[in-house]
């Protein structure tokens, strides 16, 4: 982090930053811990042109999560352009390794988020990002239409355009609509984190779960649960506690595959062919 930006952050924070420490864990942006005499702050910096849009969407998403009162998220302070990119400044959360009780609390609070009252439509007022890829949130009254048109089709088209999937490997929109209509129950919108893998939550030193790096929209709550299971799962205490609040519905295991498919396509488009076998397995199984 250069001296010019540090001086600007001093002005924003009305304090003097005495120490800047790089943090690990981000694939897209550089992250830093900023320390003054009495406070700590978190800053992400990205040099890409889409950074301002990406960080603005993140700030809005954190505010939306906080507004529900169901679960904690870091308080965002400022988003600004910087040189060719942008930065986001927010509350720093001192975190610890999660224990069984922490994960049970996380499960209950995530379920409360999924039960929070939201508008009776799927999508969001603005588009955002999934990783560094654009994520369309055009609103629909029907969940199947939203999932096929705003989630599956854009990622399948991108995979085709990048030469990662052939035309014969991609089901038609009509086929996807028929399959999803048959498999999806009557769905009521829930506010979703949207990218809920193990790197996108923290447990504070006080045992409070925090959601970070959201890609929010209103959708089927099972999507968040499917994402938690994509890379190993969150542990039995998390799922038991979640199920105490929201019981599973028939057909969830099959829908979990279809919801994982979206994230596998995202990973295919971001990281390449190592994700293609998993994508092809689900496409072949359901379409």
């Amino acid at each position: 982090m250069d001296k010019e930006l540090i001086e600007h952050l001093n002005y924003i924070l009305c304090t003097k930053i005495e120490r800047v420490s790089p943090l690990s864990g981000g694939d897209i942006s550089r992250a830093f811990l900023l320390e003054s005499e009495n406070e700590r702050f978190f800053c992400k910096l990205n040099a890409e042109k889409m950074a301002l849009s990406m960080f603005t969407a993140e700030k809005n998403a954190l505010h939306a999560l906080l507004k529900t009162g169901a679960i904690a998220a870091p308080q965002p302070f400022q988003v600004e352009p910087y040189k060719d990119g942008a930065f986001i400044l927010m509350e720093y959360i001192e975190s610890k390794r999660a224990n069984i009780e922490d994960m049970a609390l996380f499960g209950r609070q995530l379920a409360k988020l999924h039960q929070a009252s939201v508008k009776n439509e799927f999508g969001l007022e603005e588009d955002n990002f999934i990783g560094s890829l654009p994520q369309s949130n055009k609103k629909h009254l029907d969940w199947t239409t939203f999932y096929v048109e705003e989630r599956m089709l854009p990622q399948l088209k991108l995979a085709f355009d990048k030469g990662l999937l052939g035309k014969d490997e991609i089901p038609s929109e009509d086929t996807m609509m028929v399959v999803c209509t048959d498999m999806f129950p009557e769905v009521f919108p829930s506010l979703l984190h949207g990218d809920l893998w193990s790197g996108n939550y923290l447990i504070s030193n006080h045992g409070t779960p925090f959601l970070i790096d959201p890609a929010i929209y209103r959708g089927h709550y099972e999507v968040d649960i499917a994402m938690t299971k994509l890379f190993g799962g969150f542990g039995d205490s998390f799922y038991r506690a979640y199920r105490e609040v929201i019981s599973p519905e028939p057909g969830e295991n099959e829908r979990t595959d279809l919801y994982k498919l979206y994230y596998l396509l995202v990973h295919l488009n971001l990281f390449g062919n190592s994700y293609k076998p998993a994508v092809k397995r689900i496409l072949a199984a359901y379409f």
Side-chain angles (χ1 to χ4, degrees):
M1 182 177 287
D2 61 41
K3 183 178 179 181
E4 180 183 353
L5 180 55
I6 293 171
E7 290 177 352
H8 183 59
L9 294 172
N10 285 337
Y11 173 78
I12 292 172
L13 294 168
C14 299
T15 190
K16 180 175 175 56
I17 297 167
E18 297 183 343
R19 186 179 300 107
V20 177
S21 305
L23 299 172
S24 61
D27 294 323
I28 298 167
S29 303
R30 291 189 293 154
F32 301 91
L33 167 62
L34 313 178
E35 298 179 84
S36 68
E37 183 177 356
N38 298 311
E39 296 179 279
R40 289 177 163 188
F41 305 93
F42 179 74
C43 183
K44 286 197 294 189
L45 184 62
N46 190 295
E48 300 296 326
K49 290 183 179 180
M50 52 79 174
L52 183 60
S53 296
M54 183 174 68
F55 287 152
T56 299
E58 181 175 357
K59 180 190 71 172
N60 294 342
L62 291 170
H63 280 309
L65 291 170
L66 287 165
K67 189 177 179 180
T68 69
I71 194 165
Q75 180 69 48
F77 299 133
Q78 192 81 359
V79 171
E80 288 188 16
Y82 185 71
K83 296 185 177 178
D84 292 333
F87 69 83
I88 182 170
L89 183 66
M90 68 181 77
E91 176 186 10
Y92 176 76
I93 308 300
E94 190 81 43
S95 62
K96 64 163 188 164
R97 186 181 180 88
N99 60 35
I100 291 174
E101 290 77 18
D102 298 331
M103 293 306 293
L105 178 60
F106 185 19
R108 287 191 294 273
Q109 291 187 343
L110 182 68
K112 292 296 185 183
L113 173 68
H114 290 162
Q115 289 182 326
S117 177
V118 297
K119 293 181 179 179
N120 191 29
E121 57 193 1
F122 301 97
L124 201 66
E125 285 64 38
E126 63 178 359
D127 294 338
N128 51 25
F129 293 81
I130 179 74
S132 59
L133 298 179
Q135 180 171 260
S136 172
N137 292 320
K138 181 181 177 182
K139 290 184 280 189
H140 294 267
L141 293 176
D142 173 67
W143 169 241
T144 295
T145 304
F146 176 88
Y147 192 70
V148 171
E149 293 188 1
E150 312 305 330
R151 290 295 173 265
M152 300 290 289
L153 285 175
Q155 293 300 324
L156 288 166
K157 181 180 184 303
L158 182 58
F160 176 77
D161 291 344
K162 293 168 75 102
L164 295 164
L165 287 176
K167 188 175 182 180
D168 61 335
E169 296 174 303
I170 297 175
S172 69
E173 179 177 355
D174 287 346
T175 298
M176 286 189 286
M177 285 294 297
V178 169
V179 169
C180 291
T181 298
D182 185 54
M183 293 183 64
F184 293 170
E186 184 178 5
V187 175
F188 299 95
S190 296
L191 185 63
L192 308 183
H193 175 281
D195 191 13
L196 194 55
W197 67 289
S198 61
N200 281 350
Y201 74 87
L202 299 171
I203 303 297
S204 78
N205 281 348
H206 302 293
T208 302
F210 280 76
L211 294 177
I212 62 173
D213 293 337
I216 68 165
Y217 63 97
R218 294 183 290 273
H220 190 191
Y221 63 81
E222 288 180 1
V223 175
D224 269 352
I225 298 302
M227 181 55 173
T228 69
K229 297 176 178 179
L230 189 56
F231 301 118
F234 280 18
D236 289 345
S237 64
F238 170 86
Y239 296 109
R240 280 198 303 269
Y242 184 92
R243 294 307 180 198
E244 289 172 3
V245 182
I246 298 178
S247 299
E249 297 185 64
E252 181 178 356
N253 288 340
E254 291 75 18
R255 290 190 297 273
T256 293
D257 276 347
L258 291 183
Y259 294 154
K260 282 181 178 180
L261 179 58
Y262 172 62
Y263 295 108
L264 289 167
L265 284 165
V266 168
H267 281 74
L268 176 66
N269 286 321
L270 285 173
F271 305 117
N273 277 319
S274 61
Y275 290 94
K276 186 171 181 177
V279 167
K280 289 185 67 176
R281 177 187 63 79
I282 296 176
L283 287 173
Y286 293 96
F287 303 109

